[in-house]
Amino acid sequence: VETLATTRADCVALDAADPLGPKRGAFELPPDVVYLDGNSLGPPPRLARERVQQLLDREWGTGLVRSWNDAGWIEAPLRVGEKIARLIGAAPGEVVVADSTTVNVFKLLSAALALRAGRRVIVMREGEFPTDGYVTQGLAAMTGAELRCVAATDLEVALDADVAAFCVSHVDYRTGEMLDLHRLTDAAHRVGALAMWDLCHSAGAVPLDLTAAGVDLAVGCGYKYLNGGPGAPAFCMVATSHHERLQQPLSGWMGHAAPFAFEQGYRPGTGITRLLSGTPAVLGIAGLEAGVDAWQGVDMVAVRAKSLALAELCVTLVDQRCSGLGIEVVTPREAARRGSQVSLRFADAYPLGRALIARGVIGDFRPPDILRVGLTPLYMRYVDIYDAVEAIHDVLTSGVWRRPEYAVRTVVT
Ligand SMILES: Cc1ncc(COP(=O)(O)O)c(C=O)c1O
């Protein structure tokens, strides 16, 4: 009989002693599920049910159009932006909630080209989350900007006096590798370029201090670690020093200095408000605000400590239980180079993932061969990791993942 260094009872004991343990009660999670996909879609905070109900009944239902003023709908993008600013170490007035990450990449990279007029190169990394690349290709086609795509290890050498900005994910969506945000931001500044970070896999996942790092621009999404709900609005961050000269091409009425003056010419609003374009998605922002409020009073240092402990546990158990089964950990083993996920490589990761989901162990698949285990310390338990690795072991040793139904591709993976 194989002896494990860590038993299920050990994990139960770790959960009992976990200072973040009680936070799990703030979320609605089905009892028969091991949820490993909070890095793709966070579960509903209990607060969301209450808030959305109130929005439907009282604000939309009874207040009707008066609620734009009376229920704070019009201020919601800035109000929730302030709360996100605190989570990512940005200053007050530097973050606003709007649109999707994709649209925000377009707005901010356009703004970066305008702030660095005369420079036309945008640096990105190979293997970047595709939407960032797609939208930058569109922007390049419109503006004549040039896209310079390099390996993550070559980002620093790709920066020169032609570069307006880089736009790079802080944590890689596939491998979970975390780049050195301070170092790359400094490298951009040394050549007079702007540093723009995609924080989709960082906000609510790892401690961030954008102000201390001198980050110029950032985007991130609301539905992953912030638990804002499916398709929740995204956020944009712009350092205060750039506000006055900030121009973005989707200059809609909500970013105007006086939207309800109905002037014919565009005059940008003050500060970060000029990043707004159209009417805020009030229902979506309500979910996002509930998600962000679930973070109140949470110490990001404790979150990071637990995330690293969950990762260690996962890596150790996979090494022990799954050696010789064709599966390996691809996330960096050094804690400092890791975001808040563990990625496993297996040649048939897609059917493996489907077979796990059929057992109630929900992770996700990213091509060509990655099974992702998202680590979300607010509601994840040590025992979830234990049960997930046992399920992986069982599914691999029994060969159940080979069933033909698990090979059928769903639209969303
Ligand atoms: C790094 C990164 N950027 C962008 C996105 C998605 O952007 P959007 O919210 O526009 O769909 C994701 C979603 O998974 C992502 O991981």
Side-chain angles (χ1 to χ4, degrees), residues 53-64 66-67 73:
Q53 196 67 50
Q54 165 174 320
L55 178 62
L56 276 171
D57 294 347
R58 268 188 272 160
E59 300 177 12
W60 188 10
T62 308
L64 293 161
R66 293 171 290 190
S67 290
W73 290 356

Side-chain angles (χ1 to χ4, degrees), residues 62-185:
T62 308
L64 293 161
V65 75
R66 293 171 290 190
S67 290
W68 280 108
N69 295 309
D70 298 346
W73 290 356
I74 198 69
E75 293 94 27
L78 282 173
R79 182 178 68 243
V80 182
E82 291 299 313
K83 296 179 183 186
I84 294 175
R86 289 199 281 275
L87 266 178
I88 63 176
E94 290 188 333
V95 178
V96 73
V97 165
D99 305 311
S100 60
T101 306
T102 305
V103 173
N104 291 334
V105 169
F106 179 82
K107 291 187 294 190
L108 288 192
L109 275 181
S110 302
L113 289 169
L115 285 167
R116 288 292 178 269
R119 296 177 175 225
R120 42 190 294 279
V121 175
I122 295 168
V123 169
M124 299 188 89
R125 65 187 281 186
E126 287 162 2
E128 180 54 85
F129 189 86
T131 204
D132 298 44
Y134 298 159
V135 85
T136 310
Q137 288 162 32
L139 178 66
M142 274 178 60
T143 59
E146 183 195 317
L147 193 50
R148 185 180 290 168
C149 252
V150 299
T153 44
D154 293 336
L155 282 167
E156 262 186 83
V157 292
L159 297 169
D160 60 30
D162 296 328
V163 175
F166 70 64
C167 171
V168 176
S169 279
H170 177 218
V171 176
D172 183 277
Y173 77 104
R174 224 171 345 209
T175 62
E177 176 172 12
M178 182 165 73
L179 297 180
D180 189 332
L181 182 133
H182 285 252
R183 183 184 166 137
L184 280 165
T185 300

